[in-house]
Amino acid sequence: MYNFTLHTPEGVRDIYGDELLKKNEIGEKLHKKVNSFGFRDISTPTFEFFDIFSGDIGTTPSREIFKFFDKENNTLALRPDFTPSVARAAVKYFEEELPIRLCYMGNTFSNRSDLQGKLKEVTELGAEYMGDPSVEADAEMIKLAVELLDAAGLQDYRICIGNAQFFLGICEEGKIGEKERSLLTGYILDKNYFGMEDILNELNLSPEVRLSLNSLSSYVGNADILEEALLHVSNARSREAVERLKDLNDALKIYGIDQMVSYDLGMMSRHNYYTGILFRAFTFGTGDAIVRGGRYDNLLMKFGKPKAAIGFTVVIDQVMETLRHQKIDIEIPDDGVLIVYESSSFEEAVRLAGEKRAQGKVAELLQRTPELKREAYEAHARAVHAGEVIYL
């Protein structure tokens, strides 16, 4: 008989001990790096009204959201994504005319069944830059993503960049409706080229548009593929998307990171609020992107304020898994103190622990057990990262 009181549901897990210490260490390090770029912290609720994430905003399919009801019978949702929540809060609370930079760290929840062993609850760190439509803002966010990966200890990674407008321009040129466009997006994301071919066969497309759609997967590589793409698309929207990427590449040269990026004009996202630049970071040891982001210039308008925006998230759990696969250790300082005392020295132990804590150290008190030898306390000290053991 399955004991539900001892086990967690599928897709969630307990984290404790050194694993949690290391996760917190990475999270704090990345958080400080984001703050160093001028991003201010924001905290939004773990659950919100369901419409924040679905409905007209349409950020996450309903079937992938954990839903429940309050006592007024309103439909609520555990957040699957931070960006809509932060956009809602920014519109409600921030009145600055100048751009604002916001960052956050917390858990998101996904009710998908195709995660292939991945967690349904993960910790994300994210940054959102609102109110600046420029290509320089795009470059700054990609530079920040690079610095976060460096701060995490990763060395071998690649930033891949696309532009949602390239695909949308081809669809507009071919007069492809929203339903068919959505199906095509799903097939391309899933690399289901047979499904894609079925849709294309049903549509009355010119040979040029059909060739452009079939060629999406071939526009991948360094900045040279941007010039090549311009030779094969004629619609203004797609061409403007490529020109934007060329301008971005120039800005990335100023940051000195242009050699760390590649371009993919077939890049898309399951979040349909992205309107422009898309970027992801990949490395070995994980089958998925460790950074995901892009420009979403229309999302804030859904909440009543027409402001451009760009942002990204880093899944801390995935960074941890990647570091483990790449055998990159996260150092935990052994700066704690273990104080082992007899009952007769309790008062002195309390005083000494207070002094150590006042110095900013972690001080743990343990009353001596006669049956235990010093080796047991030394082993415990190593386990809790106490570099100093004091016997009273």
Side-chain angles (χ1 to χ4, degrees), residues 8-16 19 23 119 121 317 321:
T8 61
E10 182 183 4
V12 295
R13 59 187 287 258
D14 301 312
I15 306 176
Y16 53 90
E19 183 182 3
K23 180 178 177 178
L119 295 173
E121 179 186 12
D317 305 79
E321 185 70 9

Side-chain angles (χ1 to χ4, degrees), residues 50 53 119 122 189 206 237 265 270 303 321 367 378:
F50 172 72
F53 306 107
L119 295 173
V122 295
L189 283 168
S206 68
R237 194 172 180 180
L265 294 179
R270 296 187 189 278
F303 300 103
E321 185 70 9
Q367 186 172 15
E378 301 287 345

